[in-house]
Amino acid sequence: MPQPTSERRGAGRPPRISRPEILAAARAVIDAEGVAKLTMRRLAREVGSTPMALYHHVRDKEELLLLLLAEYAAGMPRPALPDDPRERILAVATGMRDGLAGCPWIVEVLAADDLLASEALWYGDRIVDAFMAGGLATEAAVHAYRAIWYYTAGEIIVRASAGRRAEAGRPTYRETVFADVDAAEYPRLAEIGADWIPLTAQDAYADGLSALVDGLLARAA
Amino acid sequence: MPQPTSERRGAGRPPRISRPEILAAARAVIDAEGVAKLTMRRLAREVGSTPMALYHHVRDKEELLLLLLAEYAAGMPRPALPDDPRERILAVATGMRDGLAGCPWIVEVLAADDLLASEALWYGDRIVDAFMAGGLATEAAVHAYRAIWYYTAGEIIVRASAGRRAEAGRPTYRETVFADVDAAEYPRLAEIGADWIPLTAQDAYADGLSALVDGLLARAA
DNA sequence: ACCTGAACACCGTTCAAGT
DNA sequence: ACCTGAACACCGTTCAAGT
């Protein structure tokens, strides 16, 4: 079994590459050229080794990405916590989203499982706690947290893929579609017309979040 | 330029495969084995041709997926529209989500751009309209629609990837994480403990949606 | 006009061998 | 214990040629 790293130092051949070194190189590739460019072969080249050497330090590519996620999540900022439950939820959720926005690939890759990398548990814990402070029962608080996670993950993923498309010079589907919206069939969209694009480019995360939290907290009464 | 299909029939060699045939075969592969198994080479085998023949009928793999999306979206059910704006929003959004839940791969692949395949414009149009009927200004209504889209896309993506993981027999990260939650650091999560898993497996889409819509409509007053 | 074959430039991963 | 080389079984796509 290939164990993570040197169990008993001194035995056998000395390592030429280490897991931290591999992770650092992987992060560099992603930051510079995007997650799509991160391949085992490329990474091997980057650390001056062979693809197979990597498999001595990580089980497979999936584990590599998981490790990168854990590392990133550990470094995310933890906002100050206001006393008011509602404000607390907003602060934590916004912190989570701002943190994740800095590395959208991570959400794309893992598409979630709740971002329950153990380093990110804090966000979930604080949000559940604040909903309970706001009057929700435990179960309702967990569901409320999930709603916020769905909203946040959706926002990040949609934004990230729109960004990717724009970068690739693709005509972002909706631009082509809005050129000929049938006013009879879709009256509202026809009315909005070209305004749709700048409108949806605006950052409305905070507005929607605040509405969602209001709606969720209203269940407490 | 390779034009979509036979422009002037009778000229040149008669086609052996057609775009509809290709799309049908692609759908069959996805339904049977998932989107990951859909490759140009596999598809060629499936229609009894060569990979390159496909490129005469679709520009590239991305276009193929776009065509599949358009086809699927065109067949999605359009729920009846209640008079009350709030009920209308809930009905349309739920219809959208139920339709998409039937083919989660589509959201994964496109990760969105608002699902503005022209066939799916209807959902957006009806939701914006209902928010306006509920008293929101045009801009606010568009933002409200977006909030619902984020929430819905997030729900579908998170669910789909959790399902994929379960199918693959992976230990769904959170199960491993919850084994040793630090009660001092994350008191709420420790308290919830093993309940987290069945709790988050519940379908809480409707609850969250309803809270979100309440919160959004409250902005009208 | 439509299709084929061969090729290019890649992937992730396994296996057997070297030091 | 750690690393290498060669190989397996794939990808999407281009190019030049055939019918």
Side-chain angles (χ1 to χ4, degrees):
Chain A
M1 309 284 107
Q3 281 307 109
T5 346
S6 44
E7 297 261 275
R8 292 177 305 269
R9 295 187 60 114
R13 191 170 167 170
R16 295 157 91 89
I17 53 175
S18 65
R19 188 184 265 195
E21 191 188 345
I22 291 170
L23 292 178
R27 230 180 309 116
V29 170
I30 290 175
D31 289 347
E33 307 177 42
V35 72
K37 293 279 183 191
L38 181 70
T39 68
M40 297 304 268
R41 293 167 124 99
R42 167 70 189 278
L43 189 53
R45 232 181 305 141
E46 219 69 34
V47 297
S49 188
T50 65
M52 275 320 298
L54 302 176
Y55 287 89
H56 232 272
H57 299 268
V58 297
R59 183 145 50 81
D60 53 20
K61 197 183 176 184
E62 166 127 14
E63 191 188 57
L64 176 70
L65 291 168
L66 253 333
L67 290 169
L68 286 169
L69 165 64
E71 212 177 54
Y72 185 87
M76 274 170 41
R78 298 188 174 186
L81 300 173
D83 284 338
D84 178 56
R86 194 190 110 91
E87 292 306 319
R88 208 146 84 232
I89 295 162
L90 295 179
V92 177
T94 303
M96 181 165 75
R97 127 72 198 214
D98 292 347
L100 292 174
C103 79
W105 65 267
I106 245 162
V107 191
E108 291 173 59
V109 168
L110 293 182
D113 209 356
D114 285 70
L115 185 72
L116 281 181
S118 49
E119 289 78 7
L121 288 173
W122 183 81
Y123 295 92
D125 190 75
R126 287 304 88 201
I127 289 174
V128 169
D129 181 72
F131 272 117
M132 290 175 73
L136 266 62
T138 309
E139 296 198 6
V142 171
H143 287 148
Y145 163 70
R146 288 222 114 197
I148 285 182
W149 173 244
Y150 293 152
Y151 173 73
T152 302
E155 200 262 354
I156 288 162
I157 291 170
V158 170
R159 268 187 121 60
S161 73
R164 228 188 307 114
R165 224 170 306 238
E167 211 171 315
R170 288 253 171 193
T172 142
Y173 216 57
R174 66 181 107 132
E175 272 160 24
T176 50
V177 161
F178 265 90
D180 50 2
V181 172
D182 183 345
E185 231 187 330
Y186 308 127
R188 288 302 185 192
L189 297 187
E191 186 185 318
I192 294 160
D195 292 343
W196 186 270
I197 293 147
L199 221 46
T200 54
Q202 285 170 31
D203 181 356
Y205 176 81
D207 274 4
L209 175 67
S210 148
L212 175 57
V213 172
D214 283 350
L216 290 166
L217 281 174
R219 261 84 184 139
Chain B
M1 311 284 106
Q3 282 306 107
T5 346
S6 44
E7 296 261 277
R8 293 176 305 268
R9 295 186 59 113
R13 189 170 168 172
R16 297 155 91 90
I17 53 174
S18 66
R19 189 184 265 196
E21 190 189 345
I22 291 169
L23 292 178
R27 228 180 311 116
V29 170
I30 290 174
D31 289 347
E33 307 177 39
V35 72
K37 293 281 183 189
L38 181 70
T39 68
M40 298 303 268
R41 294 168 125 98
R42 167 69 188 279
L43 189 52
R45 232 181 306 141
E46 217 71 33
V47 298
S49 188
T50 65
M52 276 320 299
L54 301 177
Y55 286 87
H56 232 272
H57 300 268
V58 296
R59 184 146 49 84
D60 53 19
K61 197 183 176 183
E62 166 126 15
E63 190 187 59
L64 176 71
L65 291 168
L66 253 333
L67 290 169
L68 286 170
L69 165 63
E71 212 176 55
Y72 185 86
M76 272 171 38
R78 297 188 174 187
L81 299 173
D83 284 337
D84 177 55
R86 194 191 110 93
E87 292 305 318
R88 207 147 83 232
I89 296 161
L90 295 178
V92 176
T94 302
M96 182 165 76
R97 150 22 229 227
D98 291 348
L100 291 174
C103 78
W105 64 268
I106 245 161
V107 191
E108 291 173 61
V109 168
L110 293 182
D113 210 357
D114 286 69
L115 187 72
L116 281 183
S118 49
E119 289 78 5
L121 287 174
W122 182 81
Y123 295 92
D125 190 75
R126 287 305 87 203
I127 289 174
V128 169
D129 182 72
F131 272 117
M132 290 175 76
L136 265 62
T138 309
E139 295 198 8
V142 170
H143 286 148
Y145 163 69
R146 286 223 116 196
I148 285 183
W149 173 244
Y150 292 153
Y151 174 73
T152 303
E155 199 263 354
I156 289 161
I157 291 169
V158 170
R159 268 187 120 61
S161 73
R164 228 188 308 113
R165 224 170 305 238
E167 212 171 314
R170 287 253 172 191
T172 144
Y173 217 56
R174 66 180 108 132
E175 273 160 24
T176 48
V177 162
F178 266 91
D180 49 5
V181 173
D182 183 345
E185 229 186 333
Y186 309 127
R188 288 302 185 192
L189 297 185
E191 185 186 318
I192 294 159
D195 291 343
W196 184 271
I197 293 147
L199 219 47
T200 55
Q202 284 172 30
D203 182 355
Y205 177 81
D207 274 3
L209 175 66
S210 150
L212 175 57
V213 172
D214 284 349
L216 290 166
L217 281 175
R219 262 83 182 139

